[in-house]
Amino acid sequence: MKLDGVLSDVRLTQPLAPELAQLEIRGLEYDSRRVEPGFLFFAFPGSRADGRQFAQDAVARGALAVVGESEPPAPLAGHLPAGWVQVEHGRQALSLSARNFYDKPDEQLAITGVTGTNGKTTTAYLIDSVLRAAGNTTAMIGTIEYHLAGRVLKAVNTTPESLDLVRLFTELRQSAGTHATMEVSSHALALNRVYGLHFHTAVFTNLTRDHLDFHGTMEAYFAAKQMLFDGAGGPPPRFAVLNRDDEYARRIQLDPKTQAIWYGLGQEAELRARQISSGFQGLKFEVQHGKLRWAVESPLIGKINVYNILAACGAGLSYGLAPETIALGIRDLRAVPGRFERVDLGQPFVVVVDYAHTDDALRNTIAVARGLNPKRVITLFGCGGDRDRTKRPLMGQAAAEASDFVVLTSDNPRSEDPLAIMNDALVGIRRKDVPHVVEPDRAAAIARALKEAREGDIVILAGKGHETYQVLKDKTIDFDDRQVAREVLKGYGYHRDE
Ligand SMILES: Nc1ncnc2c1ncn2[C@@H]1O[C@H](COP(=O)(O)OP(=O)(O)OP(=O)(O)O)[C@@H](O)[C@H]1O
Ligand SMILES: [Mg+2]
């Protein structure tokens, strides 16, 4: 594609020189290490390094031209054949160019974006499951991993860089895919990673104080979320699925062409849940939408997931799916990896793996477990090394406050001494009078926690969730709480296939 085609709709600071406009561009890159001859390189200040430093490297590797927000850096000027194209906004230019170069795959797909402080990952999994239940070939892009037409890819960011995102969409198209569901973090919106994309459906879960280190104020955080509903450089979404029970969702301004679907537990919501029952086996309730009523069942645990399921119902309705299909998709999502994920080999107690790794999250997870009325809650946790030390006693206290038995172990000790980390956490545990044991070896600690469990108890293995490794001082080893728990349970004589 010619450079002027690649840069179509991109705001330049001055018209493209004719000799540049006709350059034949073979590929796009923002990482100079991946540049090949004939590429167009995007150099803009990133969060870690100033991309302009890499412009020279990119040129040396054969980049035909460099796109940047600034004036060309001195050594590059006159260092033709590479030309420098100055744009008003580097990240917007990258996103628009990626869409141009790859022939706008987002316009040929039905894309759902999920934004909000909590519940994005869970909601995205649910929506994807609903779309697959309807027989579609799909992609799902989020925090834990990316799914692409049945394949699982490692996630780089919750929302990938625009160029990578457009490439994923292109791959999905090549696999005859039709629908993509993605978490759209507020960082991604603020950093223009979805700039110019066409969204069919935008979902807003909720907004609470979080990520203020990045956005500064609650208003700036809200403004980032609002961008998704304005279209973020593209047309506004055709449908908006919004949580009526969230005060910020109600403040979202919708374009007159966007059709709203409000979900919630109160009368004001047009899509709502009734007769909720929540227990060890998951959730059951009735969904109402206008005159429609249908029953849903989900293996997901905890009432908070009623919201996520309603959001997924709303997204399903935005695609015109039948209630039975939506219900099927919801029933089929057995767990979100590492989010209150059960390990069940038929033992008479519940074992869950959860990624809670702050005192708040630990408290929440234990509260969800308590809500199921177990005989006892046994909590295993550890604290990460080379990270905030002040949170260790707080985590210890959170675990001790609400549990009946605590197993303190290692998380990712990194370069620190595991025993020293545990000592910090012990200070918090000892503030409460709770039985506890200390076992630095995480596998042995899991065995200890499971040995303690009796019929009717819940064991929470907290901290690592979906992680499949443990970072030690001198190496990273394979380690998966779910797998270790399974092995231990097998060793104790349980064997039912999951
Ligand atoms: N709808 C919800 N409202 C409030 N809290 C929720 C909701 N859904 C899930 N949670 C809580 O938030 C945690 C994170 O859920 P999830 O991973 O789905 O959210 P997320 O928005 O993707 O979060 P992150 O930004 O960490 O990726 C869950 O473990 C649960 O405790
Ligand atoms: Mg997430």
Side-chain angles (χ1 to χ4, degrees):
M1 185 181 277
K2 298 265 188 285
L3 184 58
D4 60 354
V6 176
L7 294 175
S8 150
D9 293 332
V10 172
R11 289 196 308 274
L12 310 179
T13 54
Q14 51 195 7
L16 205 55
E19 67 276 15
L20 287 183
Q22 291 309 305
L23 287 176
E24 187 65 31
I25 299 300
R26 286 193 43 240
L28 313 180
E29 256 317 328
Y30 59 88
D31 180 336
S32 62
R33 290 165 300 183
R34 294 195 292 250
V35 167
E36 291 173 32
F39 273 37
L40 176 65
F41 180 67
F42 289 80
F44 43 78
S47 53
R48 288 192 206 106
D50 185 337
R52 286 170 304 178
Q53 294 162 7
F54 300 114
Q56 230 149 13
D57 181 32
V59 172
R61 285 171 194 260
L64 289 182
V66 177
V67 175
E69 283 176 0
S70 58
E71 304 267 326
L76 207 90
H79 191 287
L80 292 173
W84 183 274
V85 182
Q86 195 181 351
V87 296
E88 285 183 12
H89 200 295
R91 287 175 175 280
Q92 293 178 4
L94 177 65
S95 191
L96 294 175
S97 303
R99 293 184 72 244
N100 291 334
F101 187 79
Y102 288 101
D103 212 14
K104 305 183 177 161
D106 55 301
E107 287 186 31
Q108 296 147 45
L109 294 166
I111 299 182
T112 305
V114 183
T115 200
T117 308
N118 292 306
K120 295 182 296 297
T121 299
T122 309
T123 304
Y125 269 82
L126 283 162
I127 295 173
D128 183 62
S129 185
V130 165
L131 290 168
R132 281 187 293 115
N136 299 299
T137 298
T138 67
M140 197 207 47
I141 296 161
T143 313
I144 303 176
E145 54 201 13
Y146 307 155
H147 295 188
L148 203 142
R151 284 188 298 133
V152 178
L153 314 174
K154 207 166 166 290
V156 186
N157 286 318
T158 286
T159 315
E161 194 52 77
S162 57
L163 176 57
D164 302 310
L165 193 55
V166 170
R167 284 179 178 149
L168 285 172
F169 291 155
T170 304
E171 251 188 279
L172 179 62
R173 285 292 302 150
Q174 285 161 354
S175 312
T178 50
H179 294 69
T181 305
M182 54 184 295
E183 285 183 57
V184 183
S185 66
S186 46
H187 290 66
L189 286 161
L191 295 174
N192 292 286
R193 290 196 185 137
V194 295
Y195 191 81
L197 292 187
H198 289 222
F199 285 96
H200 180 284
T201 301
V203 180
F204 188 105
T205 60
N206 49 58
L207 197 69
T208 53
R209 299 183 67 82
D210 200 357
H211 304 303
L212 290 190
D213 49 340
F214 179 82
H215 296 285
T217 64
M218 208 56 194
E219 288 312 306
Y221 185 25
F222 176 77
K225 300 292 187 196
Q226 170 72 48
M227 283 166 72
L228 182 62
F229 297 85
D230 296 335
R238 278 191 245 170
F239 285 87
V241 177
L242 305 141
N243 180 355
R244 189 74 203 177
D245 298 344
D246 184 85
E247 97 179 80
Y248 283 98
R250 292 196 222 185
R251 281 176 45 193
I252 289 281
Q253 301 279 326
L254 296 178
D255 186 273
K257 289 192 288 296
T258 300
Q259 189 176 328
I261 299 176
W262 290 97
Y263 66 91
L265 300 185
Q267 290 298 319
E268 285 179 334
E270 57 183 293
L271 176 63
R272 53 179 186 265
R274 290 191 30 179
Q275 295 165 338
I276 301 169
S277 89
S278 161
F280 273 125
Q281 296 315 317
L283 295 160
K284 268 189 195 177
F285 54 93
E286 184 186 80
V287 179
Q288 289 190 345
H289 184 246
K291 290 207 176 71
L292 285 177
R293 268 152 222 251
W294 69 95
V296 299
E297 271 187 51
S298 163
L300 298 188
I301 289 177
K303 276 196 188 139
I304 201 70
N305 280 311
V306 172
Y307 278 100
N308 301 329
I309 292 168
L310 284 175
C313 290
L317 292 171
S318 81
Y319 289 110
L321 299 183
E324 308 81 73
T325 310
I326 295 175
L328 209 62
I330 285 166
R331 194 205 62 193
D332 283 351
L333 181 73
R334 297 195 53 206
V336 177
R339 266 56 172 178
F340 218 87
E341 182 179 356
R342 263 177 298 179
V343 178
D344 186 359
L345 267 69
Q347 74 280 1
F349 48 88
V350 172
V351 178
V352 298
V353 171
D354 192 89
Y355 83 133
H357 54 266
T358 61
D359 54 315
D360 249 3
L362 209 47
R363 224 171 251 120
N364 278 339
T365 303
I366 298 172
V368 170
R370 280 272 171 235
L372 302 172
N373 296 318
K375 284 202 181 124
R376 292 186 308 162
V377 175
I378 297 166
T379 304
L380 171 145
F381 82 103
C383 305
D386 300 342
R387 299 285 187 277
D388 188 4
R389 269 187 72 177
T390 60
K391 85 173 187 189
R392 294 175 189 165
L394 299 177
M395 285 179 71
Q397 189 171 340
E401 249 165 33
S403 311
D404 301 291
F405 191 90
V406 175
V407 178
L408 174 61
T409 185
S410 303
D411 193 275
N412 290 317
R414 301 195 178 84
S415 77
E416 281 191 66
D417 174 8
L419 296 178
I421 300 175
M422 293 197 303
N423 274 334
D424 289 341
L426 259 182
V427 173
I429 296 179
R430 289 196 177 127
R431 281 181 201 143
K432 301 284 150 186
D433 184 23
V434 67
H436 57 273
V437 293
V438 177
E439 169 54 68
D441 180 303
R442 193 164 174 104
I446 290 175
R448 179 68 184 84
L450 298 180
K451 190 158 174 236
E452 182 64 29
R454 298 283 171 272
E455 188 171 344
D457 290 348
I458 294 190
V459 182
I460 301 172
L461 306 177
K464 298 182 68 63
H466 62 280
E467 284 179 13
T468 53
Y469 54 85
Q470 191 178 20
V471 190
L472 310 178
K473 191 177 223 141
D474 46 354
K475 57 183 179 209
T476 296
I477 57 167
D478 286 341
F479 198 100
D480 184 329
D481 280 358
R482 299 162 294 190
Q483 197 157 349
V484 174
R486 235 174 252 132
E487 295 300 322
V488 170
L489 288 170
K490 270 189 206 153
Y492 290 164
Y494 303 109
H495 52 76
R496 194 183 77 195
D497 275 346
E498 287 173 88

